[in-house]
Structures are given as structure tokens and as C-alpha cells.
Amino acid sequence: MPGDSRRLRGPEESQSPLLYVPSDKADKTEGRGGRGPNEPRPVFVRAGLLSQAKGSAYLEAGSGGTKVLCAVHGPRERGMGGERAEPRGRLVCELRWAPFSRRGPWSGSSSPRNVGMFLQESLEAAVRLDRYPRAEVLVWVLVLEDRGSALPVAVSCASLALADAGIEMFDLALGCGLSRGPGGELLLDPEDWEEEADGKRTMSLALLPTLNQISGLVCNGEWEGESSVEAVRLCMEGCQRLYPVLQQCLVKTTKRKIQAPQTEKS
């Protein structure tokens, strides 16, 4: 009987494709990219990339990691109302996650409703709102990709955008995250899968490095006295490591803005 030439003959033996899928343990081992428990992810940062905003910044933590974009508008006069008579300015923050930014569902501590207040309080301590009476500054933050420590990255990105907009500040507000690993070890700048381990015990801290003052702190889960003190210390060290990177970015952005008008005149 002649064969059917329209059909493709498959192999006589086959194996399940699941055999070639890496195990969860292997993925998690490679997830930190060879980093130690107290080593943060390398960051890529850029300021002044949105022409329609007064100030803007983009920050990416790790290769293919968390990506955050921020735009700042203002200061501008407030609308008519009772708040118009207030001599102190107001900072309006909006933090959103892109629909495609997360792999799984929200956890209780990382939902936008819970983290928005942390961003607001962390930035208000750094901005000189008394210099902008009866005015408001709008800060719009979008998390493009959340691969862990999205809230601390958002704080650092928003602070850089405020500085790029020329808003007077006491200091930059830098964020750093930390979580407890399955073995009880403290992991600085955790990935998303590390934040879900060990009962989702995480910590996010915002620091004013020059003043050495904590402007925001939020914890999830139970933390003992000694471990919480050590976690705060590690987060502060992580913020201090990030500070020179953002300073250098601001210097380069300022030089680029100064050279641009000179190039147009010539």
C-alpha cells in the first residue's frame, strides 16, 4: 500500500520537552548573576530623556531586571480652593505598574495602594516645598518591568527626575530593598523570586545620603530586633553605593544641556 506523501513522519521515539526545562533551583541560583548576598545589582541610569517633561529619568537595575521611568512636571500654580492659601508647596506622586510588568499576581505589600504612600513620604522629605508656596510638583512614575525591588528603584528614579527638573532639594532620596532568604540570610537588592521566599519578609528603605537620614521605611512580615537593625544597616550601605552613580549621571546631563544651546548658536 503506498504511503501518504502529505503527512510528515514523526520520530519513532520522543521525549517530553519538560526534560529540557531548567529546574527552579538552577534558575534561582543563576538569578543573582553571581552576586553575593550583600551585593546590589548593577544599574543603568539616564536623565533628561523626555523632552515634554520638565525633568525625567530612567533607571534599570540589573541586566533585564527592574525598569522604571519617571517624569516630573511643574512647579505650577494650584487650582482654586482652600489649599491655595497654604504657604507650603505640595508634591503629587503617581506610581503605576505597566500591565505587562509583573510575572505573577500582586502580593500584599507591593500593591500600588500600599506603596504609593511610601513614595510620597520618601520624596517629601527631600524636596524643599517651602520654596514653592501655593504651587504643586507632579511626579509620575511608571514601572515598565518588575523583577524585584521595584519600589526602591522607583524612589531613586523619581528623585533623579526631580533633580533633573531643577527642583530645589535637601538631598537625593535613594531607595534600597532587602529580603530574607530561605536559609535566613539577608539578601540585598532581591530579585522577584527572592521577595516571595521565606514568608515574603521584605524591607524597603529610602535614605538621604548626605544628611544620613532615613526618609522612608516599610517592612513586610515579622522581623526580630537584631535582624531588623542589620537589615537597615545593609540597606543604608546599598543607598550609599548608589549615590555616586546618580551624581555622575546628573553631572553628565547638566553638561549636555549646557552644550546643546552652544551647538545651536554655532
Side-chain angles (χ1 to χ4, degrees):
M1 182 177 180
D4 190 352
S5 60
R6 294 174 297 179
R7 293 186 179 182
L8 298 177
R9 298 182 60 184
E12 296 180 358
E13 297 181 359
S14 62
Q15 295 179 344
S16 172
L18 297 178
L19 296 176
Y20 302 95
V21 177
S23 62
D24 294 340
K25 184 176 181 180
D27 288 343
K28 295 180 180 181
T29 303
E30 299 175 358
R32 292 190 67 85
R35 294 186 293 134
N38 298 336
E39 295 181 11
R41 291 173 290 183
V43 297
F44 171 80
V45 60
R46 180 76 180 272
L49 67 163
L50 298 180
S51 59
Q52 297 180 352
K54 182 70 176 298
S56 59
Y58 171 81
L59 199 153
E60 179 177 347
S63 178
T66 301
K67 302 177 180 65
V68 177
L69 179 66
C70 179
V72 173
H73 302 274
R76 65 186 187 185
E77 187 178 2
R78 296 188 196 177
M80 299 296 294
E83 297 180 355
R84 185 180 177 86
E86 292 185 6
R88 192 169 182 265
R90 183 176 63 176
L91 192 67
V92 180
C93 299
E94 183 176 357
L95 175 60
R96 292 186 178 182
W97 269 255
F100 49 82
S101 61
R102 293 182 60 87
R103 297 176 181 175
W106 291 102
S107 61
S109 64
S110 60
S111 63
R113 179 178 300 179
N114 296 334
V115 301
M117 185 176 297
F118 173 80
L119 177 65
Q120 180 89 19
E121 294 176 351
S122 301
L123 296 177
E124 282 183 345
V127 179
R128 300 194 62 179
L129 295 176
D130 58 304
R131 294 287 189 176
Y132 306 98
R134 297 182 296 275
E136 63 181 8
V137 179
L138 305 180
V139 180
W140 179 79
V141 183
L142 177 64
V143 180
L144 299 173
E145 187 171 0
D146 186 356
R147 294 297 179 262
S149 303
L151 179 56
V153 174
V155 172
S156 302
C157 186
S159 179
L160 182 63
L162 285 168
D164 179 62
I167 303 299
E168 293 192 35
M169 305 174 67
F170 295 104
D171 197 1
L172 290 175
L174 305 183
C176 185
L178 183 140
S179 68
R180 184 180 292 277
E185 68 278 10
L186 299 178
L187 303 176
L188 190 67
D189 194 13
E191 302 279 351
D192 51 354
W193 59 267
E194 292 173 325
E195 292 180 334
E196 301 296 327
D198 194 41
K200 301 179 181 179
R201 285 193 283 182
T202 61
M203 176 181 293
S204 297
L205 180 141
L207 178 72
L208 307 181
T210 303
L211 303 177
N212 200 30
Q213 294 182 359
I214 297 176
S215 60
L217 178 65
V218 60
C219 300
N220 181 40
E222 297 181 359
W223 290 84
E224 296 79 10
E226 296 182 358
S227 62
S228 61
V229 173
E230 179 66 14
V232 170
R233 184 187 66 82
L234 291 176
C235 287
M236 294 178 67
E237 291 181 357
C239 294
Q240 294 288 355
R241 294 181 185 180
L242 182 62
Y243 193 42
V245 179
L246 268 63
Q247 282 183 317
Q248 186 178 8
C249 176
L250 284 175
V251 171
K252 291 182 179 180
T253 303
T254 304
K255 290 182 179 179
R256 187 170 63 249
K257 291 181 178 180
I258 294 175
Q259 294 174 358
Q262 297 178 355
T263 305
E264 294 177 357
K265 292 180 181 180
S266 60

